Amino acid sequence: MLIRHKKPSDVASHEITPESVYLDRRRFIQASGLIAGSMILGAPAGQAAVMPAKGGQFADVTKGYRKLGENDTPTPFESVTTYNNYYEFGTGKEDPAENAGPFKPQPWTVTVDGLCAHPGTVGFDDLIKPHALEERIYRMRCVEAWSMVIPWVGIPLAEIVKRFEPLGAAKYIRFETIVRPAEMVGQRSAHILPWPYVEGLRLDEAMNPLALIAVGLYGQPLLNQNGAPLRLVTPWKYGFKGVKSIVRISFTEVEPKNTWREMNASEYGFYANVNPKVDHPRWTQATERRLGGGGLAGILEPRRRTLMFNGYEEEVAHLYDGMSLTKYY
Amino acid sequence: MSAEISPASAGAFTWDRAWRGALKPVVFVLCLMPLLWLIVRALTVGLGANPIEAGIRYLGDWALRFVLIALAVTPLRIATGWNIVARLRRMLGLFAYFHVVVHIFGYVGVDHFFDWAAIGNDIVKRTYITVGMMALVMLTPLAITSTDGMVRRLGGAAWRRLHQLVYPAAVAGVIHYFMMIKAGYQEPLLYAVILAALFGVRIYKKWA
Ligand code: HEM
């Protein structure tokens, strides 16, 4: 298991905002052994919390996977945080950014159950802290034929899976989004989707190094509209696989019934691998619109060809050897 | 369409005559506002992260709203006795068609940049596009036959029969909206209810 450790250079790189001063003070207090002081600041005794102070950046993020094409410019923060599909906060693209304010992503616990050696309920820090945070820049392709390039902060899902030691019978992993209608307006209507939102992966997909549990983007904690405090990112699959605000992880023998497939099995499958050759009844999957900062440039930008497995063929194609991707879409 | 009585016939100025004369130009300018607002926003604050989608949807909304507004003229006249509103019907219908055309241009010319193969594929494969296309096919002859000359050439009865096509076209517009949505149907449902109410008034009038 990887242990987080601070590099001296990190301190200097975060000294721009008052929040970082706050963080540095915490480091100083810990370094001087003033454990009581760190408790006042809200972290467990002797440990810094994973989450930076409000508005701050994560400390100690190593640069991870970032294989990008020539035309893959990261989508601006503004677009990534104002154009979201997160029906728990409303069905419009701007609804999540507008409605997610009251949602409280901390404190947070995740229940791990099913076919694994160490079921139980873990706090957010206990879940994330033992692992090194990485920044990974991935393309994200939505089933609606638009795409973004997003610098995520997170940890490999494989590391979490290993920690809970799935049993031999476990074939799938199932994720559940929190149900909190008091803070999530969309959930007050049962007509939108059946809650909770459920997604899943085959266990070998979950173990693929690309699968990420994201806790942030652009160096800072996920905003509520992006699935705070933790969500799944599987860049070779359509965006709806990226279940947000996860409260439950289960290891199962049977294929999880993911929400969109339950809603409309002819349009959404379990695998949902990005595939320009398998069309969707509503959107062509052959091309996509890459989103940048909007504006006139966004109007004039032509569509681009969608890549098999969203361009991650080399990393994931072997998972589907001998499988019909038309049948298992 | 009822023949129009020219308000500009000789006579002294009266307020009544003035507002009757102003009604059409004022409504005309008002009807230009949604598109103007879209253009101003596109050129200033922008239309968000996905401006093309935002524009197409905005224009689709207004296309359907104008269809419903045009259909509301007769019920409004019946309900209020304001016969003057009948004069607005043709203009409102043409504004509906205008927004349909710009909406479709957004899809054909801006989103797909005249990639006819992809567009043809969409029309065949994507049912909501097929239904939108059907609405367009029904609305086009109505726009073409909207001139006084055409009304005369067709004759009132045939013209009226032809223009009944606006009802299935409106229904197709609402269905098109329903079908493009993945989940959460409140908005198209609202349009469906309004359309049903407008039908209701006409049916009631026919039988009452
Ligand atoms: C060939 C004909 C048509 C085509 C190709 C077309 C295309 C489209 C497209 C691409 C969308 C957006 C889908 C998306 O963003 O996922 C849309 C939405 C829409 N269209 Fe059309 N359309 C057509 C005709 C019409 C007509 C005739 C009307 C109205 C009378 C109409 C009203 C609407 C409405 C209300 C929406 C939804 C707007 C919203 O989401 O708020 N469309 N159409």
Side-chain angles (χ1 to χ4, degrees), chain B residues 136-205:
Chain B
L136 174 73
V137 166
M138 289 187 272
L139 290 172
T140 301
L142 311 195
I144 293 171
T145 58
S146 65
T147 61
D148 287 339
M150 275 303 208
V151 180
R152 247 180 282 120
R153 260 206 272 172
L154 284 170
W159 187 93
R160 263 192 297 278
R161 214 170 325 116
L162 176 67
H163 279 242
Q164 302 275 320
L165 273 177
V166 68
Y167 304 113
V171 173
V174 172
I175 293 174
H176 168 69
Y177 193 176
F178 264 105
M179 293 184 87
M180 65 140 284
I181 278 178
K182 293 194 293 183
Y185 296 96
Q186 295 95 323
E187 277 179 58
L189 201 62
L190 179 68
Y191 289 114
V193 167
I194 292 171
L195 186 59
L198 293 174
F199 281 158
V201 175
R202 279 158 209 268
I203 291 166
Y204 176 79
K205 191 215 153 200

Side-chain angles (χ1 to χ4, degrees), chain B residues 1-2 4 24 86-95 146-149 151:
Chain B
M1 181 165 282
S2 55
E4 295 186 22
K24 241 169 131 172
R87 284 192 206 166
L88 298 172
R89 208 166 61 150
R90 167 174 23 195
M91 189 173 80
L92 291 169
L94 284 171
F95 265 109
S146 65
T147 61
D148 287 339
V151 180

